[in-house]
Amino acid sequence: MTSTPPPSPEAADESADEEFLRLDRQICFSLHAASRAFNSVYRVALKDLGLTYPQYLVMLVLWEHGALPVKRLGEHLRLDSGTLSPLLKRLEAAGLVRRERSAEDERSVRIHLTEEGAGLKRLAVAVPRRIAAATGFELAEIMDLQARLDRLTGALDSAALEETPGCA
């Protein structure tokens, strides 16, 4: 009976590399899948408010900070003005926000909540509870996960800056 020779170090490395390239080993895919699942739950939770998930995020920032220039709103949401502008137009058409050009700098547009937009906050209070319940997590687990994701985002932002030419 002949024995099978052990795999070469190169073959072992190749096998480990292939294992590492499995879809279920990719943290980015796990985050993507979780994000899509969240969007599905939010779609149902936000139906009564008449908001999409991105519109809800805009409203959260305005409820928290009040009127803001589009640029600041985009910074809070990590969105550029090209992505934000259509959202704001739809919110304005729905009567929830109003856009106002700055008298000092006509390039700057400030976003204000309307009375209806401010009033929607009372209904929105139920949304985070519905989302938390859908996760099946305890509050401490949710807070721990959020802290870890914030830390992950910070690390990835730093890594991206290091990789960007001309940035230090």
Side-chain angles (χ1 to χ4, degrees):
M1 199 170 189
T2 61
S3 63
T4 307
S8 69
E10 294 83 19
D13 286 348
E14 199 172 292
S15 176
D17 286 347
E18 286 183 22
E19 180 69 16
F20 192 63
L21 288 175
R22 289 172 43 109
L23 181 62
D24 64 356
R25 299 272 191 225
Q26 307 303 307
I27 188 172
C28 58
F29 184 73
S30 295
L31 288 168
H32 173 74
S35 179
R36 290 183 55 85
F38 262 114
N39 285 340
S40 295
V41 174
Y42 269 104
R43 191 174 303 111
V44 173
L46 295 172
K47 187 176 182 185
D48 293 340
L49 299 178
L51 296 174
T52 64
Y53 177 69
Q55 291 170 342
Y56 173 68
L57 296 179
V58 169
M59 297 302 288
L60 286 173
V61 173
L62 294 173
W63 289 326
E64 183 178 347
H65 298 282
L68 288 172
V70 172
K71 183 176 180 175
R72 289 286 299 137
L73 187 57
E75 289 169 359
H76 282 287
L77 296 169
R78 300 174 65 103
L79 294 174
D80 60 47
S81 62
T83 303
L84 196 51
S85 290
L87 282 172
L88 296 173
K89 285 180 183 176
R90 285 191 293 277
L91 287 170
E92 186 174 42
L96 301 175
V97 303
R98 117 182 112 73
R99 295 180 296 165
E100 186 177 287
R101 285 216 177 270
S102 168
E104 300 83 39
D105 180 0
E106 290 209 7
R107 296 171 297 175
S108 179
V109 175
R110 197 165 181 83
I111 307 302
H112 300 265
L113 286 168
T114 62
E115 194 172 312
E116 184 180 350
L120 196 58
K121 183 178 180 180
R122 286 188 302 280
L123 294 174
V125 169
V127 172
R129 289 188 185 100
R130 289 181 72 180
I131 300 304
T135 68
F137 287 7
E138 297 294 326
L139 182 58
E141 291 175 297
I142 292 171
M143 293 174 69
D144 179 60
L145 177 59
Q146 185 174 8
R148 288 171 181 255
L149 290 171
D150 289 346
R151 206 171 87 221
L152 175 63
T153 300
L156 294 173
D157 282 347
S158 293
L161 277 176
E162 290 172 7
E163 295 289 323
T164 304
C167 290

